[in-house]
Amino acid sequence: DSGVTQTPKHLITATGQRVTLRCSPRSGDLSVYWYQQSLDQGLQFLIQYYNGEERAKGNILERFSAQQFPDLHSELNLSSLELGDSALYFCASAEGGSSNEKLFFGSGTQLSVL
Amino acid sequence: TQLLEQSPQFLSIQEGENLTVYCNSSSVFSSLQWYRQEPGEGPVLLVTVVTGGEVKKLKRLTFQFGDARKDSSLHITAAQPGDTGLYLCAGAGGRGSTLGRLYFGRGTQLTVWP
């Protein structure tokens, strides 16, 4: 158990809809990272938050947004969903904000867009 | 275009065999991490290498960071069925680098048959 909690574990929805994925980091970790994993693209970095502030952005679409709340949990919002958004979405946490740090991953949310 | 290229993409071997997987890039990294991911779970960190030419051992696993810090290899001796999984390398950029965050290769799917 990594100590990172992601909910829901599975999500099935239709095109055009909006969903919210939730992540609770390990106790004491200030950084939260979101990654998307698909068969053709592998694990793609989306966005990082550190202590409530956006720290870095990767390949995140404009239809996607995220935030980190004062209690350090984070949410990833995906809107106007398309078939190609179907993927595993991982949240990872780390103690600080350095790119060299060890990341602790949650078990992921499997999103299926039908 | 993937920043990190991993090879081979798939590897299927018998228990007791040795194997090496590779992680290559044209970019220089401040550090490189290796993760293992099992089905239905998030990646779990195995090791971090920081210094060019560094070699780290974790039981039957040997990790090497290239002298120029652009590539890495993972060698497994006498593979066991429990080694089965997706092996991912991830590179971190240093200060001033445009890489910023941790970027992953697509992984090597290893299957070890009893």
Side-chain angles (χ1 to χ4, degrees), chain A residues 9 33 35 37 40-45 48 55-58 88 90 97-103 105-107, chain B residues 2 9 30-31 33 35 37 40-45 48 86 88 91-94 100-106:
Chain A
K9 196 162 179 63
Y33 297 76
Y35 283 86
Q37 187 175 40
D40 57 340
Q41 293 291 325
L43 204 58
Q44 297 285 314
F45 168 66
Q48 179 204 2
R55 176 64 70 94
K57 247 181 182 177
L88 254 174
F90 284 105
S98 167
S99 58
N100 291 330
E101 285 192 287
K102 176 177 181 176
L103 299 186
F105 281 82
S107 296
Chain B
Q2 284 290 121
Q9 189 177 354
S30 61
S31 68
Q33 300 179 357
Y35 289 78
Q37 184 180 11
E41 298 297 327
V44 176
L45 181 68
T48 301
L86 180 67
L88 296 157
R101 299 307 110 186
L102 204 59
Y103 287 87
F104 284 79
R106 289 187 188 174

Side-chain angles (χ1 to χ4, degrees), chain A:
Chain A
D1 182 11
S2 67
V4 178
T5 304
Q6 285 189 250
T7 57
K9 196 162 179 63
H10 302 277
L11 198 50
I12 301 174
T13 188
T15 54
Q17 294 298 305
R18 172 189 169 94
V19 297
T20 298
L21 312 184
R22 195 177 190 281
C23 170
S24 293
R26 285 190 328 153
S27 176
D29 283 357
L30 298 179
S31 267
V32 168
Y33 297 76
W34 286 97
Y35 283 86
Q36 179 194 59
Q37 187 175 40
S38 60
L39 284 174
D40 57 340
Q41 293 291 325
L43 204 58
Q44 297 285 314
F45 168 66
L46 296 178
I47 197 165
Q48 179 204 2
Y49 279 83
Y50 176 77
N51 203 22
E53 300 289 326
E54 182 183 305
R55 176 64 70 94
K57 247 181 182 177
N59 302 324
I60 189 165
L61 299 172
E62 285 190 11
R63 300 183 286 110
F64 297 0
S65 65
Q67 55 185 330
Q68 186 179 27
F69 295 88
D71 67 353
L72 300 178
H73 91 270
S74 179
E75 292 181 354
L76 178 66
N77 300 296
L78 315 177
S79 62
S80 302
L81 284 168
E82 302 175 359
L83 295 177
D85 297 327
S86 296
L88 254 174
Y89 290 84
F90 284 105
C91 164
S93 74
E95 187 176 348
S98 167
S99 58
N100 291 330
E101 285 192 287
K102 176 177 181 176
L103 299 186
F104 294 86
F105 281 82
S107 296
T109 293
Q110 178 68 62
L111 174 66
S112 298
V113 183
L114 306 178

